[in-house]
Amino acid sequence: MMHTTRMWGAVALTAAAVTVLAGCSGGGAASDSDELVIWMPTQEDTQGTAINALIDEFEKQNDGVTIKLEQRSVDEHKTALRQVAGTDAGPDIYWYWEGSGLGGELVDAGMSLDLTDYYDEYGWEDRFTAASMSGITQYGGFNGVPWSQQGEGLYYNKTLFAQAGITTPPTTYDELVDAAQKLKDAGITPIEFGGTVNWDVMRLLDSLIETECGADIADELNMGDGDWGSEECVTAAFTELKTWGDDYLNEGFMGINNDDAAQLFFSGQAAMSLEGTWYNAQVVDNGMNPDDIGIITFPTDTGRLYGFGEAFYINAASGNADLAAKFLDFGTSTEGQEIVGSAWAALSVNKDVAVDDSNPLNAVWADLFNQADGGYTNNDQNFSTAETTEYWRIQNSVLTGDIDPADAGAEFQKFRDSQ
C-alpha cells in the first residue's frame, strides 16, 4: 500500500484549527491500528527520496500498513506541534530537534512518550552512538529515537578562495576575517545568509559568542545563569556580528530566506556558507562537485564543534505506539540506515553503519567529529521559545543599526530577568 504525502499551510491559533488537525491527521488517539501518521518539515531532493524509500520498504515488509507523511515548512512544523501538544490531534510520530527549547519543550508538555520499554525490547541503547544518545536521555528516561547527529561548519568554494589568493583555509578567527576581506577585495561575496528566517544568521552570532567568550562563559550564558549584560565578550560578539553584516554578508541578506541565500553558494557567487552535515547532499543536489568544496569548523579557538541532534519521537497520545516503535526500529536499523544513506548527516547514529563514501564530504565530517573537543549547541535549542524570539529580535536590530552592539547584551539580560 502506498503512503501519501501532504503539504499543509500554517496552522491558525484557534481551538477550531486544532479540531481540524485532529480530523485530518488520522494520528493521535483516534489512529487506525494499521495506519501511522508522521510529521516532518518539508523534505526535498535527496532527503525526500530517502524518507519515501524508507516508508515504501516498511510498508512492503508490513502488509496492510499505511504511513501518511505530512510535511510543513520548518516554522509551520514548530507551530503545529506546539498547538497540538496535550491533545489527540497530533501525529503518531514526529520529527524534531532535541534541544531544551524545542524537543524539551514538548517533553515538558507531556507530548513525548517515554520509550524505556521499547529501548529494552529492541536493544536500542546498544545500537546508537554515545553522542547521539546524549540528547535522548537528557530529560530523564528515553525520549525519542536518534535520527541524526549534526555538525555545523563553514563550507567553502576552493575555486573562489584561490581566485582571492587564499592558499590555505583559515584556522583562526583573525585568519577567517582576513579571508573574508580578501574575498571582498576580489569582488566575491565572502559568505551568504538569509535573514528572514532568523535562525540562519543566528548560527553566526552563536559562533561569535563561542569565539569571543570561550567555552565556559558561553555555556554559562547559553545554558546557565550567566549575565549577558556584564560580560564584555558579549559586546565584542555583537560588534563582530555588525561588522560581518556591514562588510561581508551578501547584499540584501535581511530580506531573503535561507534557501534563496544558499543559491548564491550553489551558483558560485558566494564563497562560504555556514551550514551542517545535511549540506553534503544539498551540494550534490544543486550540481556542485563535492571535490571542489572544503569544510572547516568555525575557528572559535575552543576546539568545540557546533551542532545538534535530531530525533523521531512517539506522541504520548498515539493509539499506535507499538507500530510506531516498529517503524523507528526499522528506520534506525542497519537496513534502514543503508536505505537513507547520508541524506541527513555524514555519520549514522547507528554505530554499526560505516561512513557512506559515495560523497567525499562525509569523510571530512568524520574527521571533524573525531577532532572535536566537545560541542556547543544552537541557541534556539538552548533557549525557551520566548527567549529565542527576543534573541533574534536583538540580533536583527543590531544588524539593522537599531540597537548598538554595546547595549545588546544588557537588553537580552533584561528580558531574561523579566521571565
Side-chain angles (χ1 to χ4, degrees):
M1 183 178 296
M2 294 297 293
H3 63 280
T4 59
T5 302
R6 292 185 288 177
M7 300 289 293
W8 284 17
V11 184
L13 295 173
T14 65
V18 174
T19 302
V20 171
L21 280 171
C24 291
S25 72
S31 179
D32 184 272
S33 61
D34 292 327
E35 180 179 275
L36 285 177
V37 176
I38 301 175
W39 284 9
M40 296 183 72
T42 302
Q43 307 294 301
E44 298 175 351
D45 300 320
T46 298
Q47 292 175 345
T49 299
I51 193 64
N52 287 333
L54 185 70
I55 291 172
D56 285 341
E57 183 59 29
F58 184 77
E59 289 180 339
K60 180 181 178 181
Q61 294 185 20
N62 294 271
D63 188 42
V65 171
T66 300
I67 295 179
K68 292 183 178 179
L69 176 63
E70 299 178 357
Q71 303 178 74
R72 305 166 180 80
S73 71
V74 168
D75 290 334
E76 289 170 346
H77 180 68
K78 294 176 181 178
T79 298
L81 284 170
R82 286 165 178 154
Q83 290 182 344
V84 300
T87 76
D88 292 338
D92 297 292
I93 297 171
Y94 61 94
W95 178 102
Y96 218 39
W97 299 269
E98 295 170 357
S100 58
L102 293 171
E105 181 182 51
L106 298 184
V107 171
D108 290 342
M111 186 171 178
S112 169
L113 180 68
D114 186 326
L115 305 181
T116 298
D117 289 344
Y118 294 117
Y119 270 80
D120 291 341
E121 178 180 349
Y122 290 108
W124 284 342
E125 196 169 5
D126 294 328
R127 172 179 296 178
F128 300 113
T129 64
S132 67
M133 280 301 297
S134 62
I136 300 301
T137 58
Q138 63 182 313
Y139 308 111
F142 293 87
N143 284 279
V145 170
W147 185 245
S148 65
Q149 189 66 33
Q150 305 286 11
E152 294 163 278
L154 289 166
Y155 286 70
Y156 65 92
N157 186 314
K158 295 177 182 178
T159 300
L160 295 183
F161 266 40
Q163 289 178 10
I166 304 168
T167 56
T168 58
T171 58
T172 68
Y173 181 69
D174 287 342
E175 289 177 0
L176 176 62
V177 174
D178 182 63
Q181 187 62 51
K182 287 180 178 178
L183 288 161
K184 182 180 178 181
D185 292 343
I188 300 167
T189 298
I191 190 168
E192 56 80 9
F193 284 99
T196 63
V197 295
N198 298 306
W199 43 262
D200 198 23
V201 181
M202 179 199 69
R203 295 170 182 163
L204 177 58
L205 177 56
D206 290 349
S207 300
L208 292 171
I209 294 290
E210 178 83 1
T211 302
E212 297 294 340
C213 295
D216 291 341
I217 294 177
D219 282 350
E220 280 299 308
L221 292 169
N222 299 333
M223 298 181 293
D225 296 325
D227 187 344
W228 285 74
S230 65
E231 297 288 353
E232 292 183 3
C233 64
V234 171
T235 295
F238 277 105
T239 300
E240 289 300 302
L241 177 69
K242 184 69 165 78
T243 298
W244 279 88
D246 289 346
D247 296 342
Y248 303 128
L249 273 59
N250 46 297
E251 185 176 352
F253 71 94
M254 290 293 289
I256 63 173
N257 64 30
N258 63 303
D259 290 330
D260 291 336
Q263 292 304 316
L264 297 174
F265 183 77
F266 298 143
S267 63
Q269 298 178 71
M272 291 184 286
S273 188
L274 181 47
E275 289 283 351
T277 51
W278 61 88
Y279 216 54
N280 293 3
Q282 293 183 26
V283 163
V284 175
D285 288 340
N286 284 274
M288 301 187 83
N289 184 343
D291 290 328
D292 296 334
I293 304 302
I295 309 170
I296 58 171
T297 57
F298 196 98
T300 63
D301 198 35
T302 67
R304 301 201 300 180
L305 180 63
Y306 189 40
F308 56 89
E310 300 162 323
F312 277 112
Y313 298 81
I314 296 179
N315 188 351
S318 171
N320 235 346
D322 288 347
L323 184 59
K326 186 176 183 180
F327 173 76
L328 296 182
D329 180 64
F330 175 71
T332 58
S333 68
T334 300
E335 179 184 2
Q337 289 290 286
E338 288 174 349
I339 291 172
V340 301
S342 58
W344 279 270
L347 308 177
S348 174
V349 294
N350 184 323
K351 61 188 179 184
D352 294 328
V353 176
V355 175
D356 179 1
D357 61 4
S358 64
N359 186 326
L361 296 177
N362 294 338
V364 176
W365 271 114
D367 290 340
L368 293 176
F369 271 98
N370 288 334
Q371 295 164 11
D373 184 17
Y376 64 107
T377 303
N378 302 50
N379 269 333
D380 62 347
Q381 298 200 41
N382 292 321
F383 298 154
S384 69
T385 301
E387 287 175 330
T388 295
T389 301
E390 180 67 1
Y391 187 62
W392 288 343
R393 184 190 70 81
I394 293 171
Q395 159 196 290
N396 295 341
S397 295
V398 168
L399 288 166
T400 59
D402 294 316
I403 294 179
D404 190 288
D407 299 327
E411 188 152 344
F412 185 55
Q413 187 62 41
K414 180 181 178 180
F415 177 85
R416 297 187 93 185
D417 291 342
S418 72
Q419 301 298 298

